[in-house]
Amino acid sequence: MKIGIKVGDIMTRNFASITPSSSLIDAAKGMVKQRVGSLIVLENKQLKGILTERDIIWAMIKKNNKGLEGVKVSDIAKRKVHTIKPGADVTIALQ
């Protein structure tokens, strides 16, 4: 059942991004500076994945608190990203 609200009406248009070769430290600093909880991973203007705060926390725990030096965004970013057009109804996005 469509409700008439489009994805474009509620989506963020000015997203924050990072490159796959960036370090996790730089990614975390970028999230803090831009006050966001996730970064879109772009390479040559192509979507390569998404990195979230949760991904960084999981990486920290997995490394047993040894630090994130040398860990790249591409090492832990989710590569499978689902997309939808801004003109789609939000009920379709929820499905």
Side-chain angles (χ1 to χ4, degrees), residues 4-21:
I5 299 173
K6 304 292 183 203
V7 171
D9 296 336
I10 60 172
M11 71 183 215
T12 300
R13 296 184 188 276
N14 297 324
F15 60 86
S17 66
I18 197 157
T19 62
S21 61

Side-chain angles (χ1 to χ4, degrees), residues 33-52:
K33 184 177 180 181
Q34 297 179 62
R35 296 181 179 220
V36 296
S38 62
L39 297 170
I40 301 298
V41 182
L42 293 177
E43 186 173 47
N44 299 323
K45 297 184 181 182
Q46 289 191 327
L47 177 63
K48 295 295 180 179
I50 187 167
L51 179 72
T52 66

Side-chain angles (χ1 to χ4, degrees), residues 5-87:
I5 299 173
K6 304 292 183 203
V7 171
D9 296 336
I10 60 172
M11 71 183 215
T12 300
R13 296 184 188 276
N14 297 324
F15 60 86
S17 66
I18 197 157
T19 62
S21 61
S22 298
S23 72
L24 279 191
I25 299 295
D26 289 340
K29 287 179 182 178
M31 286 181 187
V32 170
K33 184 177 180 181
Q34 297 179 62
R35 296 181 179 220
V36 296
S38 62
L39 297 170
I40 301 298
V41 182
L42 293 177
E43 186 173 47
N44 299 323
K45 297 184 181 182
Q46 289 191 327
L47 177 63
K48 295 295 180 179
I50 187 167
L51 179 72
T52 66
E53 292 170 331
R54 185 176 181 178
D55 297 328
I56 294 172
I57 292 168
W58 279 79
M60 287 174 56
I61 299 303
K62 199 171 184 181
K63 293 220 167 256
N64 297 320
N65 296 323
K66 292 180 183 172
L68 299 177
E69 292 79 22
V71 180
K72 300 288 183 196
V73 168
S74 60
D75 295 335
I76 66 163
K78 290 179 181 64
R79 289 175 182 86
K80 188 174 182 180
V81 179
H82 298 279
T83 62
I84 192 165
K85 294 185 181 202

